[in-house]
Amino acid sequence: MNGFTPNNNTNVIRLLSEAIRKCNRGRNRILMGAVVLCILTLTFVFGTAYGKINAEYTKNIRMDGTTASTYIEEGTKQQYEKARSLGYVRETGRRMKMGEATESGKKESICSIQVLDQTAWEKMMKPAYTGVHGTYPKKQQEIMLPVKTLKKLGINNPKRGMKIALDVSISFFQMEKEEFELSGWYSAYTEDNGRSKAIGYVSEKKLKDWGYDIEEGSDILICQSNDMDWKDTEEKLYEDVPMKDNSQQIIATDTAKNRAVKEMTGSYGMAVVEAVVIICGIFLLVYNVMQISMSGDIRQMALLHTIGTTKKQIRKIYIRQIMRTIVPGCITGTVLSVLLLRYLIPELVGRQYLNGYGGAEELQIFRMEILLLAVAFTLLVILGASEQVIRQTVNRTCIEGMHYTEQTGRKKRHRRRNDLGKGTFNKKKRSETQELCFMAWKNVTRYRQRFVITVISMFLGIEMFLIVMVITTGSDYANIINQRPDFLIAGEFSEFAKKEGSGTEYQTQSPDQDPMKSEGDNFELLYDNEYGEFSPISEKVRNRLWNLDGVKKKKSYITEGAYMLSSISRDGLRPLEKDTYLGKNVEYAEESSTDYESGAKMIEGLDADTVQIVSENELKALKTYVEKNKLKVDMNSLEAGTGVMIVHDHKLSQKQERQAEKAVGETVCLSPLKNKETCIRWNSMTDKERDKEDEIIKAETPSTEYTLSGYLDNQADGFPEIHQTWHGAEGDIYYLVSEKGFSRLSTKRKTFYMELDVEKKKEKQIMHEIQKILSEENQRRKSNTQTSLDGEGEAGIFYIARSDLMQKNADYIRGNRIMFGSISVILLCVGLVNYFNIMFTGIVGRKKELEIMRKIGMTRRQERKLLLLEGSYYVLLIAGLVALVGTIILKGIDVYMRKQLSYFTFHYPVGAIAGSIVILEILCVIICNLLVLKKIKK
């Protein structure tokens, strides 16, 4: 063949690759373990985080009943178009609230009626429901109802096209009798958690038939970017979307996804930082194994390069022996990931996780795409490190490659010693231990680049574990419940109100929500007991509860005040009303009226308002808050007892907030309710008799005049903790007054509610006593029907026990702890395995060096001690970095997380740090002893 000999080296390459693999058997086992752990860790951590966030997102939207987190009330067409054009707005829809529907011929409301546009239904409401059958109403007489409403109507097996007769009260003056056709049905979760009533949907054609247009006067629903919090969203929308009048308001909350991420990591920014730290730690775990054995690999490849092996052939030989190790590792890692995430963790979490919001089926922590990315990342790291070996080999001469070490940087200059023979050898020699310590330190720091990378990687491994521990324990769902008092005792709403769902929200809502916040107003609250002497918790019951054996009185709290009739000047009330102000120069139509639009000087409330006494500590906290935020309110009048403060649940628009600043100093008059005797007499009167009686009562009832100290938003950042009773309803006014201010009123203080903190060992006994006391009191009140309009009896008392909340949420807490605990264990394993790899491969890679040391006289005991010292230096360095740098990082996380989560509780992980250090030292002892014993046997 023209003197040419074919060069078929496939078998030679295979044989060389297999020989090198066997030669590096110890390193390859470590590498395979690192590959398995790398894939398992990345898949587990990111899969669990992704699955947990998605599950919480699903829970949040089902709890809210919508994916929309912001709305502009009664928006215009121009506002809708403007909102759609904004870059930070993902979706916009329209919703028109029409009124209440009752079964034909009956009085009890079965659902509210709303109309949605296509985007609002498909993108905002439908994802929050399950079991959606049929279609959204298109035809004029079609209706879509929730399953529970259909059951109230006696329909257990709904079918499309069924006729349903309903009476719809669209407004106070408009009632429509309709016969609808069922177009579809769905299952909602908002009814179960007390967020809202059942909702029935009708078509836009029906809306027009009733004389309304969805493009004008409907709420504009908005889904903003997930990385924007509610405060930024409100501010941006107020800037970008012109309001049609001063009273139009934008109501914003954090998106469901944003809340889910906050609960998991604190914020999107923190999530990215944590992800980068974990990826860097995993990268260094795999890279270290390759880096430590790199010198030997380069020398091996250099020998082949010396005898003429080409760069391509070197790459094939090296990559082939590496792939024989990492392919089984990838398969093992994949199988373990599937078993762990697909079967084991879901089984441990249990089927009761997210019970009430779809169950554990909503938690999908195994993600195939994350597994594939983990495998790809691992392969890229190993192949990248392999390429470095190949490049280092071919870029050096054969002699340089065969004698390669990792020593880099400039060599130290050795100055010539001129003092030899002048006592140099008379200096004190090091002891054996000192010499071994010196040698161990020199060995550890011999290759500076490797030393720095090794220390950083081990520190990151342990620090990742500690960070997750701190976030896990700090954001534990149990912390929310632990912020509650052992027992909260308060007055109930009337029977009439509870049937409508008012005042019962606490029974099904999550523990992070205020149990005393309700959509029910004071009319519903006091419907059965609207008289001046009534106290939600009577003095007798209060004393019995307060004096129970085991109650910690210093840590317990009693909220006091009274329900009063209030009359407030027009300018003082203006921020809470529509923009129909007449102007200061306009002559008032009359002195006082219950109608704001009448133009009267003083506006009287139709129903009782809440007047709460604030304690001295609460006054100080309010004063500090006002001074810190430079708010324009008059704290001096509140403290002196001449002023009252209005607290609201974020009810004011930006323009109304400015109006509220001008309202400071306006007049407020408070009057007591009619007494019990008058109330009983009033209930038996005709309407005409009641009108006359009201005039007499008004003339005879004393009124106390105050100045308005200002308005405060209890939802604002940094607002101090004020123990409020029932609040949050539209139309009610909630006043705060000091002890001095309340003493001026012509009524006795009443007990709104109590928070009791008790001794743990007596908690069960106290709960039994509370149940007994409340049962007796509720029986007594039920028999007192004279003050009730419907003869239902007075409203009772209820209690909420923290232990009951803990038990109710036990499955959810357990599921969270299993998931977060598993992540912590995996990350701890990463740190420990990283240390094991570094120690093991470092010792194995120095076989020749250690053999030489033994030949020149080092004993096995000295060798073991030397290796133990080297490992201990690493442990001490990690301990020092964790104590110094790690503590600063953990404190920074504490500060950051407290801003993101109000219930975050920081616990410095002393036990976790100490345990990690001890385990590392134990690993060091085990590795050193095993390797030395192995050599002795050989």
Side-chain angles (χ1 to χ4, degrees):
M1 291 191 165
N2 299 324
F4 176 74
T5 303
N7 187 14
N8 185 1
N9 294 318
T10 303
N11 289 332
V12 176
I13 290 172
R14 179 176 59 79
L15 291 171
L16 284 171
S17 174
E18 184 65 19
I20 294 172
R21 186 182 71 81
K22 288 180 179 179
C23 181
N24 293 331
R25 190 177 297 160
R27 189 281 310 273
N28 289 340
R29 287 171 182 169
I30 298 295
L31 180 60
M32 181 177 171
V35 169
V36 172
L37 187 60
C38 178
I39 293 171
L40 184 60
T41 302
L42 290 174
T43 308
F44 187 89
V45 171
F46 290 104
T48 302
Y50 186 84
K52 167 71 174 166
I53 288 171
N54 276 349
E56 289 298 320
Y57 167 75
T58 301
K59 174 192 170 186
N60 290 338
I61 64 172
R62 290 179 180 173
M63 188 166 59
D64 297 340
T66 177
T67 63
S69 49
T70 302
Y71 71 91
I72 303 173
E73 60 180 18
E74 299 180 4
T76 64
K77 187 176 181 180
Q78 292 76 18
Q79 288 175 328
Y80 176 78
E81 295 299 332
K82 180 64 179 177
R84 283 186 66 187
S85 67
L86 299 174
Y88 54 87
V89 173
R90 294 183 290 115
E91 301 287 351
T92 52
R94 291 188 177 100
R95 175 188 64 192
M96 181 75 85
K97 295 181 178 180
M98 296 310 301
E100 298 291 321
T102 61
E103 190 175 355
S104 184
K106 296 184 179 180
K107 291 183 178 181
E108 185 180 349
S109 173
I110 58 169
C111 67
S112 63
I113 298 295
Q114 295 184 11
V115 182
L116 306 172
D117 65 8
Q118 186 175 354
T119 303
W121 168 249
E122 293 291 341
K123 303 287 186 180
M124 299 175 179
M125 299 299 177
K126 189 177 178 181
Y129 301 144
T130 57
V132 178
H133 294 82
T135 59
Y136 185 82
K138 298 291 184 184
K139 298 178 182 179
Q140 183 169 306
Q141 291 305 121
E142 287 186 332
I143 191 170
M144 191 175 206
L145 293 171
V147 171
K148 289 190 176 180
T149 299
L150 290 171
K151 287 182 178 179
K152 286 182 181 179
L153 294 170
I155 303 172
N156 293 316
N157 297 305
K159 295 180 180 179
R160 294 186 65 180
M162 292 180 69
K163 302 292 183 181
I164 297 176
L166 297 175
D167 295 339
V168 183
S169 58
I170 297 173
S171 66
F172 190 75
F173 300 104
Q174 185 178 357
M175 173 72 76
E176 300 288 345
K177 290 185 176 292
E178 301 285 350
E179 186 176 58
F180 292 104
E181 287 185 7
L182 189 64
S183 68
W185 57 94
Y186 62 91
S187 295
Y189 298 85
T190 51
E191 301 165 64
D192 295 332
N193 62 42
R195 283 298 181 96
S196 65
K197 297 177 182 178
I199 302 172
Y201 297 108
V202 298
S203 65
E204 292 185 43
K205 289 182 179 179
K206 173 50 66 177
L207 183 67
K208 289 181 179 179
D209 179 55
W210 286 338
Y212 296 89
D213 186 354
I214 199 169
E215 292 188 358
E216 292 294 337
S218 60
D219 293 335
I220 301 172
L221 305 180
I222 293 172
C223 295
Q224 73 264 25
S225 297
N226 286 319
D227 58 348
M228 291 181 69
D229 65 16
W230 70 269
K231 193 173 182 181
D232 292 337
T233 302
E234 272 194 13
E235 289 177 356
K236 290 286 290 178
L237 285 172
Y238 274 125
E239 289 175 10
D240 298 334
V241 181
M243 296 294 99
K244 65 180 182 182
D245 57 46
N246 288 350
S247 60
Q248 189 181 24
Q249 194 176 2
I250 297 172
I251 307 296
T253 59
D254 291 336
T255 65
K257 185 75 78 175
N258 186 292
R259 279 180 280 154
V261 172
K262 272 187 178 181
E263 290 169 11
M264 182 78 184
T265 63
S267 71
Y268 279 93
M270 181 61 76
V272 171
V273 171
E274 289 173 6
V276 169
V277 170
I278 289 171
I279 289 171
C280 287
I282 296 298
F283 167 80
L284 290 172
L285 168 69
V286 179
Y287 184 78
N288 268 339
V289 178
M290 299 294 294
Q291 184 75 19
I292 291 169
S293 61
M294 185 178 289
S295 298
D297 290 343
I298 290 174
R299 288 193 292 270
Q300 283 180 337
M301 295 300 108
L303 285 170
L304 294 174
H305 192 41
T306 303
I307 60 175
T309 310
T310 64
K311 180 179 179 180
K312 185 177 180 180
Q313 291 169 333
I314 289 174
R315 178 178 284 108
K316 282 184 178 182
I317 294 168
Y318 194 75
I319 296 297
R320 187 180 182 124
Q321 61 101 13
I322 289 291
M323 291 302 290
R324 286 286 302 273
T325 300
I326 62 177
V327 168
C330 288
I331 293 171
T332 306
T334 300
V335 171
L336 287 176
S337 297
V338 173
L339 291 175
L340 193 63
L341 300 181
R342 194 72 180 266
Y343 301 105
L344 182 60
I345 296 299
E347 188 66 28
L348 289 174
V349 168
R351 296 187 177 276
Q352 296 304 311
Y353 183 77
L354 291 180
N355 188 30
Y357 298 99
E361 292 78 10
E362 302 300 330
L363 180 66
Q364 302 292 332
I365 59 177
F366 176 73
R367 309 290 300 186
M368 181 57 72
E369 58 270 30
I370 293 177
L371 176 60
L372 294 175
L373 286 172
V375 173
F377 175 80
T378 307
L379 289 173
L380 285 173
V381 173
I382 294 174
L383 294 177
S386 301
E387 190 62 33
Q388 186 177 357
V389 172
I390 296 164
R391 192 175 61 253
Q392 293 274 20
T393 301
V394 298
N395 288 343
R396 282 179 163 78
T397 64
C398 298
I399 301 299
E400 287 175 340
M402 290 168 62
H403 296 89
Y404 173 81
T405 66
E406 292 179 62
Q407 190 69 42
T408 57
R410 292 183 301 173
K411 293 182 179 179
K412 292 182 179 180
R413 291 184 179 180
H414 297 280
R415 290 182 297 177
R416 187 172 180 179
R417 300 292 298 272
N418 296 318
D419 56 351
L420 293 177
K422 298 179 181 179
T424 301
F425 295 102
N426 293 326
K427 289 185 178 180
K428 188 177 179 181
K429 293 183 179 180
R430 299 188 188 97
S431 66
E432 178 187 308
T433 301
Q434 290 175 329
E435 189 65 38
L436 288 172
C437 288
F438 179 77
M439 288 175 63
W441 178 250
K442 286 296 182 181
N443 288 338
V444 167
T445 58
R446 182 187 303 174
Y447 306 117
R448 291 185 181 178
Q449 182 179 349
R450 185 207 287 183
F451 169 70
V452 171
I453 292 174
T454 299
V455 171
I456 290 174
S457 67
M458 287 194 293
F459 168 69
L460 283 179
I462 299 300
E463 190 66 17
M464 282 190 302
F465 160 67
L466 296 175
I467 288 171
V468 172
M469 280 284 293
V470 166
I471 293 177
T472 299
T473 55
S475 59
D476 188 7
Y477 200 69
N479 291 342
I480 301 174
I481 300 174
N482 286 330
Q483 288 184 334
R484 295 281 193 91
D486 289 329
F487 297 97
L488 185 152
I489 304 163
E492 290 182 325
F493 270 69
S494 63
E495 287 298 321
F496 148 73
K498 288 192 288 185
K499 288 177 183 177
E500 296 294 317
S502 298
T504 59
E505 295 92 336
Y506 71 90
Q507 295 175 357
T508 50
Q509 66 187 189
S510 59
D512 59 328
Q513 296 172 281
D514 184 354
M516 301 306 292
K517 188 173 181 179
S518 172
E519 293 182 2
D521 57 26
N522 284 350
F523 172 76
E524 296 174 299
L525 177 66
L526 302 174
Y527 185 76
D528 293 328
N529 32 254
E530 192 176 5
Y531 60 91
E533 297 93 330
F534 177 77
S535 176
I537 300 175
S538 66
E539 187 173 354
K540 181 181 176 182
V541 171
R542 165 184 161 159
N543 291 336
R544 288 181 68 186
L545 293 170
W546 191 249
N547 293 317
L548 286 173
D549 182 31
V551 172
K552 299 177 182 177
K553 295 182 180 180
K554 289 185 179 180
K555 293 185 177 181
S556 299
Y557 192 89
I558 298 176
T559 298
E560 298 176 304
Y563 292 107
M564 309 286 291
L565 293 172
S566 71
S567 180
I568 185 169
S569 71
R570 185 178 182 82
D571 288 341
L573 190 62
R574 185 185 180 193
L576 294 173
E577 295 290 339
K578 298 293 182 182
D579 199 17
T580 55
Y581 180 61
L582 296 178
K584 287 190 176 180
N585 297 324
V586 177
E587 196 171 315
Y588 292 109
E590 52 186 319
E591 185 64 25
S592 65
S593 172
T594 57
D595 184 10
Y596 181 83
E597 295 184 1
S598 67
K601 184 177 181 180
M602 297 294 293
I603 309 301
E604 301 170 0
L606 287 170
D607 302 311
D609 292 314
T610 306
V611 179
Q612 179 182 325
I613 303 170
V614 286
S615 66
E616 289 297 323
N617 289 334
E618 288 174 332
L619 267 177
K620 289 178 183 177
L622 281 171
K623 191 171 184 179
T624 302
Y625 167 73
V626 167
E627 290 173 352
K628 182 180 178 181
N629 293 277
K630 299 179 181 179
L631 302 177
K632 295 181 179 179
V633 296
D634 183 11
M635 286 300 300
N636 292 330
S637 65
L638 182 64
E639 289 180 292
T642 59
V644 291
M645 185 80 71
I646 294 177
V647 177
H648 63 91
D649 294 81
H650 199 58
K651 299 290 186 184
L652 305 184
S653 67
Q654 280 190 341
K655 291 181 179 179
Q656 286 174 320
E657 288 282 3
R658 290 192 286 270
Q659 290 173 346
E661 293 176 359
K662 298 176 183 178
V664 175
E666 291 294 324
T667 303
V668 176
C669 296
L670 300 177
S671 306
L673 301 176
K674 52 185 173 287
N675 60 41
K676 185 175 182 179
E677 183 183 343
T678 304
C679 177
I680 294 171
R681 189 172 66 250
W682 189 88
N683 286 343
S684 62
M685 292 179 180
T686 63
D687 289 341
K688 286 185 178 180
E689 290 173 336
R690 287 175 179 177
D691 290 340
K692 289 181 180 179
E693 184 69 18
D694 285 342
E695 291 179 8
I696 296 170
I697 293 171
K698 184 177 178 181
E700 294 178 349
T701 302
S703 177
T704 307
E705 186 175 309
Y706 297 86
T707 59
L708 181 59
S709 301
Y711 286 78
L712 288 178
D713 182 359
N714 62 14
Q715 303 298 310
D717 290 341
F719 187 82
E721 182 182 9
I722 303 294
H723 300 261
Q724 288 184 254
T725 184
W726 293 111
H727 62 96
E730 286 288 341
D732 287 346
I733 299 179
Y734 200 106
Y735 295 100
L736 298 182
V737 65
S738 66
E739 290 275 3
K740 291 181 181 178
F742 192 86
S743 65
R744 296 175 57 207
L745 292 170
S746 55
T747 189
K748 292 183 178 179
R749 63 175 66 202
K750 317 297 189 304
T751 301
F752 286 142
Y753 86 100
M754 304 174 70
E755 293 182 358
L756 300 182
D757 198 12
V758 303
E759 296 175 16
K760 291 299 173 187
K761 60 183 179 180
K762 297 180 180 179
E763 185 175 353
K764 288 185 178 180
Q765 180 186 345
I766 291 173
M767 182 185 290
H768 177 73
E769 290 295 327
I770 289 172
Q771 290 171 347
K772 182 181 177 182
I773 293 169
L774 298 192
S775 177
E776 291 174 0
E777 178 68 7
N778 289 340
Q779 286 295 325
R780 183 192 68 79
R781 293 188 181 192
K782 194 172 183 180
S783 62
N784 188 6
T785 59
Q786 292 176 305
T787 58
S788 172
L789 287 169
D790 298 335
E792 294 282 358
E794 293 183 353
I797 308 173
F798 72 96
Y799 78 95
I800 302 173
R802 182 166 63 186
S803 58
D804 290 343
L805 288 175
M806 198 69 79
Q807 185 177 357
K808 181 181 176 182
N809 293 275
D811 292 319
Y812 182 70
I813 293 169
R814 175 175 166 274
N816 281 340
R817 287 176 176 174
I818 288 172
M819 284 186 286
F820 285 118
S822 301
I823 291 175
S824 300
V825 170
I826 287 284
L827 292 177
L828 176 61
C829 288
V830 170
L832 298 177
V833 169
N834 197 6
Y835 176 76
F836 177 84
N837 292 350
I838 288 164
M839 285 293 296
F840 188 85
T841 52
I843 294 170
V844 170
R846 291 160 51 202
K847 285 188 292 185
K848 289 185 178 179
E849 176 188 322
L850 293 172
E851 286 174 9
I852 293 170
M853 296 294 290
R854 285 195 295 272
K855 286 178 181 178
I856 61 174
M858 178 177 278
T859 65
R860 296 290 184 184
R861 183 186 63 81
Q862 291 172 332
E863 182 182 347
R864 184 188 294 109
K865 193 172 183 179
L866 176 67
L867 297 177
L868 282 171
L869 286 168
E870 289 178 12
S872 297
Y873 278 133
Y874 280 123
V875 174
L876 288 172
L877 285 168
I878 294 167
L881 284 172
V882 168
L884 297 174
V885 180
T887 299
I888 295 171
I889 293 171
L890 294 180
K891 286 292 183 182
I893 287 173
D894 173 36
V895 173
Y896 182 81
M897 292 297 292
R898 284 182 189 275
K899 291 180 180 178
Q900 303 299 321
L901 298 175
S902 60
Y903 60 87
F904 185 82
T905 306
F906 179 73
H907 301 283
Y908 190 77
V910 177
I913 293 173
S916 302
I917 300 304
V918 170
I919 294 172
L920 288 175
E921 192 60 41
I922 291 172
L923 269 178
C924 175
V925 173
I926 292 171
I927 293 167
C928 295
N929 280 286
L930 283 177
L931 289 176
V932 172
L933 285 172
K934 188 177 179 182
K935 289 173 186 175
I936 292 171
K937 288 179 180 179
K938 286 184 178 180

